């Protein structure tokens, strides 16, 4: 038999390998920005078009490359950053694999322009699908410009796999945030489709955070500082009261590299325990500086997980450092105030080895002690508020249901629908639901002729609200309540962009917007179901949901909006419902088009028949 194994041609091998490094446009952005940082640039410009699919350009003023190096840089495993295996344990650069440029050049049209300080003249190389098209000597400024066009031009399957421009743009923004936060001293600018997204002057860490996440962020930050032999921790946490529904603002950097660490994240949650509302996430921007020999950077090009030698010690130190900062901030708010004044030198007090007389940490401090009306609380006081809030919600629902286009909106009507679904006889339906019982503040139990139904209260309410909102969006005639004093909520620039996309749909459910600026949004009216105090929470939830996934068409956008609103506004497990509310919920649920599943496809109720019960008694 003839031999059948053959070596793949280089360009095919390169394409396959490229899949590892370049998953989407943001991977290219990451690699190019990191190369610019490694080249010692003090100014980096990022330009993208169409979510990076048609164009990504990174221009730096770093050390540049000689003609030979420029050509070599596109070879696989060509790197100037390490020479031997041991160097891997003493890394001071972002790159070390020598794969990025080879991979990018295998699957895109690339143009590199580069010049070193010493050379008179620069080099321009055009390379497409791993083939060098031209190499010329040209006049160029010091530094490197990398232009990457038509990503995946030769792998249509990969190109089709890319998400919408908006989603890809969001991934790029995330990457930009991570790298520009890790290197605050480097000036960055970012242009998307010709418009200017960020102009970040080289600065200290605090100012960089504020530039990226908006002016309002400044007052939220509390410094964290801890210098030990194992690790130097520095950076900021956000004050507990600013904890958000979304996880967006959580950043760990190890030796100036963005990392993900569920384990260390847990340490922070531990430090914040009892200080933040359930269901919200603390924000943090923390740098960990360790000996490069004690950290194992993942060898996989796109992974951000790392391994620390002494993770347990790190965990304990991080937790105590964060706790310490939280304690200080509770007891001496003036310290924080001073900090704000000292923007130029945020570390000014560093090294003064805490000259403040005894810092007494009030361990029992709980900012929510007085705020009993918060959902999810369990005090006796709360139950009452909850029941009232619940009725209010219904008052709203009725207004909405009572819409002219819905000519029959009474309870009787709803019961007729009930009739067809699970209640067996007409009689029973006509009586509607008479007996209900709440179990463990989670389930509502009611009887039917053949036995009983156990309903998950939260999922049931989600279903009711979801259908209601969806209807409002479809008929575009939601009922809105005017706010006496318009609310101004502040958002980050990327959140404002999301808001722009979903604003029209938000109006159809009853939101009324005033002025939208770079800093924030004025809200003049809200849907009847929404209490003023809930607006902030709802908007945050919306941003966070849409940030994770941008629905492509307007139908799925409406669907997502209705889901988010339903999720946020529904009664939760742990809330006591009075009997009227229980029955109303049961009736409304069975008046829904689809009562068996929640909007998130979870079972809403189960039935236990008399037979089932009989069998248990045998
Ligand atoms: P790595 O960064 O892992 O070394 P890359 O493929 O990203 O591998 O780059 C290959 C080499 O090209 C780098 O080691 C560096 O010497 C050179 N290089 C890449 N980008 C730049 C740049 N912007 N400025 C100067 N040199 C660069
Ligand atoms: Mg690199």
């Amino acid at each position: 038999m003839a031999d059948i194994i053959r070596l793949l041609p280089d360009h095919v091998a390169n394409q396959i390998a490229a899949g590892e490094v370049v998953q989407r446009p943001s991977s290219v952005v990451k690699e190019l920005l990191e190369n610019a940082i490694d080249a010692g640039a003090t100014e980096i410009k990022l330009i993208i078009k169409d979510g990076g699919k048609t164009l990504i350009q990174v221009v730096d003023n770093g050390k540049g490359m000689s003609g030979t190096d420029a050509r070599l840089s596109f070879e696989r495993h060509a790197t100037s950053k390490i020479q031997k295996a041991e160097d891997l344990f003493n890394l001071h650069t972002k790159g070390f694999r020598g794969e990025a440029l080879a991979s990018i050049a295998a699957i895109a049209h690339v143009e590199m322009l580069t010049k070193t300080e010493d050379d008179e003249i620069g080099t321009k190389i055009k390379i497409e699908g791993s083939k060098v098209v031209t190499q010329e000597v040209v006049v160029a400024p010091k530094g490197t410009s990398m232009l990457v066009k038509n990503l995946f031009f030769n792998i249509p399957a990969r190109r089709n796999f890319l998400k919408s421009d908006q989603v890809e743009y969001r991934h790029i923004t995330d990457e930009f945030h991570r790298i520009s936060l890790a290197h605050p001293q480097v000036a960055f600018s970012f242009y998307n489709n010709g418009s200017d997204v960020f102009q970040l002057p080289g600065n200290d860490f605090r100012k960089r955070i504020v530039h990226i996440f908006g002016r309002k962020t400044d007052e939220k930050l509390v410094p964290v500082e801890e210098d030990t032999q194992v690790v130097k921790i520095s950076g900021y946490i956000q004050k507990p009261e600013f904890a958000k529904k979304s996880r967006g603002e959580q950043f760990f950097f190890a030796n100036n590299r963005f990392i993900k660490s569920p384990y260390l994240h847990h340490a922070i949650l531990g430090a914040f325990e009892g200080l933040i509302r359930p269901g919200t996430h603390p924000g943090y921007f923390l740098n960990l500086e360790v000996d490069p020999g004690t950290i194992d950077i993942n060898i996989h090009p796109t992974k951000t997980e790392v391994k620390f030698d002494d993770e347990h010690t790190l965990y304990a130190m991080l937790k105590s450092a964060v706790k310490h900062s939280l304690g200080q901030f509770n007891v001496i708010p003036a310290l924080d105030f001073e900090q704000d004044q000292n923007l130029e030198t945020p570390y000014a007090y560093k090294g003064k080895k805490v000259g403040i007389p005894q810092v007494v940490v009030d361990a029992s401090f709980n900012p929510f002690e007085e705020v009993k009306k918060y959902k999810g609380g369990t005090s006796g006081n709360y139950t009452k508020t909850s029941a009232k809030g619940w009725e209010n919600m219904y008052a709203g629902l009725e207004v909405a249901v009572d819409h002219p286009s819905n000519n029959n909106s009474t309870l009787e009507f709803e019961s007729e629908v009930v009739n067809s679904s699970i209640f067996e006889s007409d009689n029973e339906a006509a009586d509607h639901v008479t007996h209900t019982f709440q179990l463990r503040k989670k389930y509502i139990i009611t009887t039917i002729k053949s036995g009983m139904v156990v309903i998950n209260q939260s999922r049931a309410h989600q279903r009711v609200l979801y259908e209601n909102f969806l209807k409002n969006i479809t008929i575009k005639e939601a009922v809105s309540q005017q706010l006496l004093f318009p609310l101004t909520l502040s958002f980050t620039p990327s959140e404002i962009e999301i808001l722009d996309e979903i604003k029209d749909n938000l109006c159809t459910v009853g939101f009324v917007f005033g002025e939208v600026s770079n800093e924030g949004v004025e809200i003049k009216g809200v849907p009847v179901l929404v209490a003023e105090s809930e607006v902030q929470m709802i908007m945050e939830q919306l941003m966070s949901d849409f940030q994770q996934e941008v629905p492509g068409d307007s139908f799925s956008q409406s669907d997502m909006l209705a889901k988010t609103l339903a999720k946020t506004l529904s009664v939760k497990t742990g809330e006591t419902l009075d009997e009227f509310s229980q029955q109303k919920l049961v009736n409304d649920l069975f008046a829904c088009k689809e009562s068996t599943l929640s909007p998130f496809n979870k079972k809403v109720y189960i039935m236990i028949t008399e037979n089932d019960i009989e069998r248990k008694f045998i």
Side-chain angles (χ1 to χ4, degrees), residues 22-84:
V22 185
Q23 292 169 333
R24 51 182 359 133
S26 66
S27 334
V28 174
V29 169
K30 170 174 185 277
E31 294 297 338
L32 296 185
L33 289 179
E34 289 190 343
N35 278 349
I37 300 269
D38 283 346
T42 55
E43 265 181 61
I44 301 176
K45 190 149 87 175
L46 168 66
I47 301 162
I48 63 160
K49 276 197 185 131
D50 308 320
K53 291 175 194 168
T54 37
L55 181 138
I56 297 167
Q57 185 176 19
V58 171
V59 185
D60 69 53
N61 64 351
K63 64 175 185 242
M65 279 172 271
S66 69
T68 327
D69 279 354
R71 176 65 194 83
L72 250 181
S73 70
F74 288 106
E75 293 299 323
R76 188 157 297 278
H77 307 306
T79 179
S80 56
K81 299 170 194 174
I82 56 170
Q83 291 171 7
K84 46 190 190 306

Side-chain angles (χ1 to χ4, degrees), residues 52-219:
K53 291 175 194 168
T54 37
L55 181 138
I56 297 167
Q57 185 176 19
V58 171
V59 185
D60 69 53
N61 64 351
K63 64 175 185 242
M65 279 172 271
S66 69
T68 327
D69 279 354
R71 176 65 194 83
L72 250 181
S73 70
F74 288 106
E75 293 299 323
R76 188 157 297 278
H77 307 306
T79 179
S80 56
K81 299 170 194 174
I82 56 170
Q83 291 171 7
K84 46 190 190 306
E86 295 83 80
D87 293 349
L88 272 176
F89 302 101
N90 190 23
L91 270 182
H92 292 280
T93 54
K94 311 269 129 184
F96 56 88
R97 302 179 186 90
E99 281 186 306
L101 294 189
S103 299
I104 295 167
I107 44 132
H109 295 153
V110 178
E111 272 179 56
M112 175 200 274
L113 187 62
T114 186
K115 190 185 91 70
T116 63
E117 176 96 72
D118 300 338
D119 289 332
E120 292 280 294
I121 205 110
T123 308
K124 183 173 171 182
I125 295 185
K126 248 185 162 176
I127 179 164
E128 300 182 349
S130 299
K131 289 196 189 66
V132 179
V133 182
T134 53
Q135 171 156 3
E136 331 162 54
V137 280
V138 290
V139 179
K142 177 204 160 200
T144 305
S145 153
M146 291 288 300
L147 186 69
V148 177
K149 289 192 290 196
N150 309 321
L151 195 65
F152 297 128
F153 78 99
N154 50 359
I155 318 181
R158 293 295 301 275
R159 200 174 165 86
N160 295 337
F161 182 72
L162 294 177
K163 296 272 172 57
S164 69
D165 289 0
Q166 285 152 348
V167 175
E168 296 302 342
Y169 169 66
R170 210 144 287 151
H171 283 291
I172 291 175
T173 312
D174 283 346
E175 211 57 74
F176 180 82
H177 285 168
R178 293 168 180 182
I179 295 176
S180 58
L181 282 169
H183 299 277
Q185 71 292 349
V186 177
F188 285 89
S189 49
F190 180 9
Y191 302 85
N192 175 35
N193 289 334
S195 67
D196 178 341
V197 191
F198 282 113
Q199 291 292 344
L200 309 173
N203 241 317
D204 61 54
F205 192 40
R206 184 174 189 132
K207 277 193 177 160
R208 176 58 48 95
I209 297 170
V210 171
H211 276 135
I212 294 180
F213 294 101
R215 211 158 20 106
K216 289 255 161 61
T217 318
D218 197 31
E219 67 195 61

Side-chain angles (χ1 to χ4, degrees), residues 12 86 106 254 268 283 334 339 349 365 399 429 436 458:
V12 180
E86 295 83 80
I268 303 218
Q339 198 53 27
Y349 68 105
F365 174 80
V399 177
T436 54
S458 176

Side-chain angles (χ1 to χ4, degrees), residues 492-565:
T492 65
S494 44
E495 284 172 336
I496 297 274
E497 253 170 72
I498 298 176
L499 189 70
D500 270 342
E501 284 165 39
I502 58 174
K503 218 169 104 195
D504 288 350
N505 259 332
L506 282 173
C507 293
T508 62
V509 290
F511 283 96
V512 181
F513 292 96
E515 209 184 320
V516 180
S517 73
N518 269 347
E519 294 278 309
V521 174
E522 193 185 31
I523 297 179
K524 291 179 158 167
V526 294
V528 273
L529 293 177
V530 175
E532 191 172 331
S533 59
E534 292 169 323
V535 177
Q536 172 100 28
M537 181 178 69
I538 291 172
M539 295 303 285
E540 280 178 12
Q541 185 71 52
L542 275 170
M543 297 300 165
S544 131
D545 286 358
F546 276 84
Q547 214 148 22
Q548 272 152 39
E549 187 193 332
V550 188
D553 52 86
S554 98
F555 170 75
S556 34
Q557 202 182 82
S558 318
D559 187 63
M560 191 152 161
L561 186 60
K563 276 185 185 156
T564 300
L565 288 171

